[in-house]
């Protein structure tokens, strides 16, 4: 056996790659533990609660500008500026906003992407109802079409579906997913993702994130528009949407398909290994893996101090080395081309 198998591997990564905003987060965590740390961060840094009128209007006039023409706002769920149908416009002059009772046809209004009436309790216009991270400029008629319909699977442009459901459109579905993840992490059960998205929740361990949102997060990657918007709103509210900065956080929390790794760090084979913890280091037979990434394809070999392969049995996150003589053992764990070795003592 090569001596390198007995070495402890040093972490390969540099945390300087992660933005300073996330310096308090332990990214060796997964699942609810990581979700809870992010919740604390985005709550504590949410230092300014916007007033629905006028603050939210002022925010959207800056955050929702069309990067190709800053005289316009992008209209959420919109898709066509050339067919003479006003309700499906994708852009509109930023000055054509409407905050009045009565008809607003041809104007843009504010869309609660997490519908107010789907909150539990309903989202008031203070607090989650005025959090601009889920408010978007939208054509007034399109706003009526979406209404409080739950999101569901579909394809193509935005449209309503039977059962009082709504598909947001191929261009916008990733935006929706990342906003719904933010709202759930920020406001917890008041804005549960399962009340605004339909379908199965098979990916998530606790059934708290609809599969469609995890899939949309992959199928419609983060755009530069979303990144710019996130920074503008941080300047106004103080907090950010973590799932725009790093979509792969959704994979670490809720499993599902591997999302885009903006930081080129969390999805690597080496990082998955470096987040692992093996305990206890002194055992009577069984050791356990902490922070095992569900998507990683781990393989295991156990060696004794002489470099001889030892007996073991693996079940889920448990490694049983009980059927060996007492002494020092090296558990070699491989993920793709990356390898890490842990030392344990069997009593």
């Amino acid at each position: 056996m090569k001596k390198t198998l007995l070495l402890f591997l040093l972490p390969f990564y540099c945390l300087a790659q992660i933005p300073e905003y996330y310096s308090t987060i332990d990214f060796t965590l997964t699942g609810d533990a990581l979700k809870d740390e992010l919740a604390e961060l985005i709550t504590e840094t949410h230092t300014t609660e916007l007033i629905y009128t006028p603050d939210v209007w002022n925010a959207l006039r800056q955050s929702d500008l069309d990067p190709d023409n800053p005289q316009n706002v992008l209209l959420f769920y919109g898709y066509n500026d050339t067919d003479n149908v006003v309700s499906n416009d994708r852009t509109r002059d930023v000055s054509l906003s409407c905050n009045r009772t009565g008809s607003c046809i041809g104007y843009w209004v504010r869309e609660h992407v997490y519908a107010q009436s789907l909150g539990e309790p309903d989202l008031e216009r203070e607090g989650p109802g005025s959090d601009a991270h889920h408010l978007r400029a939208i054509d007034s008629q399109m706003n009526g079409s979406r209404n409080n319909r739950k999101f569901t699977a579909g394809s193509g442009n935005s449209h309503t579906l039977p059962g009082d459901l709504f598909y947001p459109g191929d261009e916008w579905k990733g935006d929706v997913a990342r906003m719904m993840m933010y709202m759930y992490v920020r406001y917890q059960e008041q804005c549960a993702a399962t009340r605004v998205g339909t379908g199965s929740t098979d990916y998530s361990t606790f059934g708290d994130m609809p599969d469609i949102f995890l899939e949309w997060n992959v199928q419609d990657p983060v755009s530069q528009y979303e990144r710019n918007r996130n920074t503008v709103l941080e300047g106004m509210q103080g907090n950010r949407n973590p799932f725009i900065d790093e979509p792969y956080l959704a994979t670490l929390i809720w499993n599902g398909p591997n999302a885009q790794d903006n930081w080129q760090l969390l999805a690597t084979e080496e990082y998955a290994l470096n987040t692992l913890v093996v305990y206890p280091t002194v055992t009577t037979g069984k050791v356990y893996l902490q922070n095992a990434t569900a998507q990683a394809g781990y393989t295991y070999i156990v060696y004794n101090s002489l470099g001889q392969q030892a007996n073991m049995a693996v079940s889920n996150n448990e490694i049983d080395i009980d059927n060996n003589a007492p002494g020092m053992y090296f558990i070699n764990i491989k993920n793709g081309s990356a390898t890490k070795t842990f030392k344990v003592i069997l009593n």
Side-chain angles (χ1 to χ4, degrees):
M1 171 185 165
K2 296 181 179 179
K3 292 182 180 179
T4 52
L5 287 174
L6 303 182
L7 296 178
F8 293 96
L9 302 184
L10 295 175
F12 83 104
Y13 53 90
C14 175
L15 291 181
Q17 294 174 276
I18 298 177
E20 177 64 24
Y21 180 80
Y22 299 98
S23 62
T24 62
I25 303 298
D26 179 2
F27 288 107
T28 67
L29 300 175
T30 58
D32 272 0
L34 178 56
K35 177 169 69 71
D36 291 345
E37 284 210 356
L38 290 172
E40 183 176 355
L41 172 66
I42 64 177
T43 300
E44 288 184 350
T45 57
H46 193 170
T47 53
T48 301
E49 290 199 4
L50 302 183
I51 300 172
Y52 193 63
T53 302
D55 293 351
V56 170
W57 284 115
N58 295 333
L60 299 189
R61 290 186 182 106
Q62 298 175 61
S63 65
D64 288 23
L65 294 178
D66 179 358
D68 296 325
N69 180 0
Q71 301 303 311
N72 292 340
V73 290
L74 289 181
L75 299 178
F76 210 50
Y77 314 133
Y79 53 87
N80 195 324
D81 284 334
T82 63
D83 63 357
N84 296 319
V85 178
V86 174
S87 61
N88 63 23
D89 281 356
R90 185 177 176 274
T91 66
R92 185 157 300 152
D93 192 297
V94 66
S95 67
L96 296 178
S97 60
C98 180
N99 184 26
R100 60 174 181 264
T101 57
S103 175
C104 287
I105 293 176
Y107 290 82
W108 65 271
V109 294
R110 295 164 291 187
E111 156 72 338
H112 287 85
V113 183
Y114 194 107
Q116 289 177 279
S117 63
L118 297 180
E120 195 172 280
D122 292 359
L123 308 189
E124 299 295 333
R125 290 191 173 179
E126 286 73 37
S130 64
D131 189 326
H133 280 297
H134 84 116
L135 289 160
R136 288 290 188 95
I138 186 175
D139 172 78
S140 63
Q141 291 173 281
M142 180 68 78
N143 189 47
S145 294
R146 190 277 160 118
N147 196 8
N148 67 348
R149 291 179 169 88
K150 294 183 179 182
F151 296 113
T152 194
S155 62
N157 296 322
S158 62
H159 56 275
T160 59
L161 290 102
D164 213 23
L165 302 174
F166 187 79
Y167 177 66
D170 294 349
E171 180 181 2
W172 307 107
K173 62 184 181 182
D175 304 51
V176 167
R178 290 177 282 274
M179 284 188 281
M180 297 306 93
M181 293 169 184
Y182 165 86
M183 291 297 285
Y184 174 45
V185 173
R186 172 64 182 86
Y187 298 103
Q188 304 293 307
E189 288 306 312
Q190 184 176 5
C191 294
T194 51
R195 284 201 298 274
V196 72
T198 60
S200 65
T201 56
D202 294 339
Y203 293 133
S204 57
T205 303
F206 300 105
D208 58 345
M209 183 58 59
D211 293 349
I212 57 168
F213 292 154
L214 295 169
E215 292 163 358
W216 289 355
N217 184 41
V218 175
Q219 294 165 0
D220 176 26
V222 175
S223 64
Q224 189 59 47
Y225 167 70
E226 286 180 87
R227 295 186 186 99
N228 294 342
R229 193 175 196 277
N230 207 16
T231 299
V232 169
L233 296 182
E234 180 189 16
M236 295 181 171
Q237 295 190 176
N239 65 347
R240 298 181 67 83
N241 181 338
F243 304 101
I244 291 174
D245 289 330
E246 178 51 288
Y248 192 74
L249 293 172
T251 308
L252 292 176
I253 295 172
W254 294 292
N255 298 315
N258 284 331
Q260 176 182 351
D261 181 7
N262 282 349
W263 296 336
Q264 298 182 347
L265 170 64
L266 302 183
T268 62
E269 294 170 348
E270 291 89 347
Y271 185 84
L273 282 180
N274 278 296
T275 63
L276 284 180
V277 176
V278 169
Y279 68 97
T281 55
V282 179
T283 178
T284 58
K286 293 181 179 180
V287 294
Y288 303 91
L289 294 179
Q290 181 177 311
N291 300 331
T293 304
Q295 290 74 26
Y298 300 113
T299 58
Y300 309 86
I301 303 177
V302 178
Y303 298 95
N304 62 23
S305 59
L306 298 176
Q308 299 166 329
Q309 190 166 334
N311 297 312
M312 71 164 188
V314 178
S315 177
N316 295 324
N317 292 336
E318 175 185 291
I319 303 173
D320 189 345
I321 59 172
D322 182 52
N323 193 23
N324 293 284
M328 183 181 296
Y329 289 86
F330 298 89
I331 301 175
N332 185 265
I333 305 177
K334 187 175 182 180
N335 178 29
S337 61
T339 303
K340 187 172 183 179
T341 302
F342 298 88
K343 181 176 68 175
V344 298
I345 295 173
L346 176 63
N347 285 334

